[in-house]
Amino acid sequence: MSCVQCAKRFTKLSPELSCAVCRLSFCKKCLSCRVTLPDEGGKSAKVCYTCFDRVVNHKPFQDASEWEPPANFLKRMEALEQRSAASIDGRPQSNIRSTEVDILARRADALLGAGKGPLPSDDELQARLDALKDFSSRRLSDQNPLPKLPETEEDQINNLVSQFIDEARIAKTYNSSVAPEKPEMEIVFCCLCERDASIICHDCEDDEFCENCFKKSHKSKLLKKHRTSSVQRPKDTSVKPP
């Protein structure tokens, strides 16, 4: 709905208000006059401009049948009537172009005509059915291959013998003999001077000493009684070239 005076649509920001005299719908802007009505017990109420003029100037009120709507309302109604008349005259109301409509019509006719034709015979239907069965069986065989049969004891023995023969042939061909690794020389350092150690003192928590540091650190009688052993280094077993 819209305002009777200015033809403005009612919204949440511009709600519909009613005149206290004529009871017509107006917006807030058009219903800004306030008068005291004796019929309402002397209370002030909001009225439209027309009713405000009649109440203040003591003019008689017209009958509802003699009341005429405002000019803005009449203009809006005329515009709506012109739009409806234009659509009735034959103007397309939708935005679809005539060419697009023709294309859709031709496609619909083609689809309807595609189903027309002679029906296939029984032999043709049977041939199609056989082709579908053959295709489905091949597809199932590809998806689910047959499991391999378990090998017998004789087959296992033959496989092992052939494997041993192949390994011996490869070893003979490429002479895959692994040379023995040389033992790494273990280097032991003195715990005091970090020189090469030669003595291990077992009563000193197996600490390694060189001869000079051992003599200096074990001068007392008690320390001289410590149990010792010499550092054992692995011998170099590699064959020296002639």
Side-chain angles (χ1 to χ4, degrees), residues 44 71 83 122 146 169:
S44 62
R83 290 181 184 177
D122 295 340
L146 295 176
R169 188 179 301 167

Side-chain angles (χ1 to χ4, degrees), residues 106-207:
R106 286 197 296 270
R107 291 181 64 182
D109 295 338
L111 291 173
L112 292 174
K116 298 179 181 180
L119 296 175
S121 61
D122 295 340
D123 296 336
E124 292 178 355
L125 292 175
Q126 187 64 33
R128 293 181 184 179
L129 184 60
D130 295 339
L132 289 174
K133 288 182 178 179
D134 187 16
F135 176 75
S136 61
S137 61
R138 283 184 297 174
R139 188 173 181 181
L140 289 174
S141 62
D142 294 340
Q143 291 180 355
N144 300 321
L146 295 176
K148 295 182 179 180
L149 296 175
E151 296 181 353
T152 60
E153 186 176 358
E154 184 178 358
D155 295 336
Q156 294 178 1
I157 294 172
N158 293 332
N159 292 334
L160 288 174
V161 171
S162 61
Q163 183 178 356
F164 291 151
I165 293 172
D166 294 338
E167 290 178 357
R169 188 179 301 167
I170 292 171
K172 185 177 180 180
T173 304
Y174 296 99
N175 193 15
S176 59
S177 58
V178 180
E181 296 181 357
K182 296 181 180 180
E184 296 182 358
M185 299 297 293
E186 184 179 1
I187 301 174
V188 182
F189 299 100
C190 177
C191 63
L192 297 178
C193 65
E194 295 184 357
R195 295 179 182 176
D196 292 343
S198 59
I199 299 173
I200 299 175
C201 183
H202 299 290
D203 293 332
C204 293
E205 297 181 356
D206 293 338
D207 289 338

Side-chain angles (χ1 to χ4, degrees), residues 35-45:
V35 294
T36 302
L37 300 176
D39 297 339
E40 298 293 336
K43 296 181 180 180
S44 62

Side-chain angles (χ1 to χ4, degrees), residues 8-235:
K8 183 179 180 181
R9 289 182 177 274
F10 297 126
T11 60
K12 292 182 179 180
L13 299 178
S14 179
E16 179 183 3
L17 301 176
S18 177
C19 177
V21 178
C22 62
R23 304 299 180 182
L24 296 177
S25 299
F26 296 90
C27 63
K28 184 178 180 180
K29 184 178 179 181
C30 297
L31 199 70
S32 59
C33 300
R34 186 179 290 274
V35 294
T36 302
L37 300 176
D39 297 339
E40 298 293 336
K43 296 181 180 180
S44 62
K46 288 186 176 182
V47 294
C48 60
Y49 296 122
T50 305
C51 295
F52 178 78
D53 182 46
R54 295 184 184 280
V55 171
V56 172
N57 298 324
H58 302 285
K59 295 181 180 180
F61 288 92
Q62 294 180 352
D63 190 6
S65 60
E66 299 177 357
W67 181 84
E68 294 182 0
N72 292 333
F73 184 78
L74 294 176
K75 290 180 181 179
R76 186 166 185 178
M77 292 301 297
E78 289 178 1
L80 291 174
E81 290 177 358
Q82 290 177 1
R83 290 181 184 177
S84 60
S87 61
I88 293 172
D89 291 341
R91 294 183 181 179
Q93 298 181 4
S94 60
N95 296 327
I96 302 176
R97 298 179 182 178
S98 59
T99 55
E100 295 179 356
V101 174
D102 296 339
I103 293 171
L104 292 175
R106 286 197 296 270
R107 291 181 64 182
D109 295 338
L111 291 173
L112 292 174
K116 298 179 181 180
L119 296 175
S121 61
D122 295 340
D123 296 336
E124 292 178 355
L125 292 175
Q126 187 64 33
R128 293 181 184 179
L129 184 60
D130 295 339
L132 289 174
K133 288 182 178 179
D134 187 16
F135 176 75
S136 61
S137 61
R138 283 184 297 174
R139 188 173 181 181
L140 289 174
S141 62
D142 294 340
Q143 291 180 355
N144 300 321
L146 295 176
K148 295 182 179 180
L149 296 175
E151 296 181 353
T152 60
E153 186 176 358
E154 184 178 358
D155 295 336
Q156 294 178 1
I157 294 172
N158 293 332
N159 292 334
L160 288 174
V161 171
S162 61
Q163 183 178 356
F164 291 151
I165 293 172
D166 294 338
E167 290 178 357
R169 188 179 301 167
I170 292 171
K172 185 177 180 180
T173 304
Y174 296 99
N175 193 15
S176 59
S177 58
V178 180
E181 296 181 357
K182 296 181 180 180
E184 296 182 358
M185 299 297 293
E186 184 179 1
I187 301 174
V188 182
F189 299 100
C190 177
C191 63
L192 297 178
C193 65
E194 295 184 357
R195 295 179 182 176
D196 292 343
S198 59
I199 299 173
I200 299 175
C201 183
H202 299 290
D203 293 332
C204 293
E205 297 181 356
D206 293 338
D207 289 338
E208 293 87 359
F209 299 91
C210 63
E211 293 182 2
N212 190 16
C213 293
F214 182 78
K215 291 179 181 179
K216 291 180 180 180
S217 60
H218 292 73
K219 289 182 179 181
S220 63
K221 294 181 180 180
L222 293 176
L223 295 178
K224 285 182 179 180
K225 295 180 180 180
H226 283 187
R227 295 174 293 109
T228 60
S229 63
S230 59
V231 176
Q232 300 293 332
R233 292 187 176 88
K235 296 181 180 180

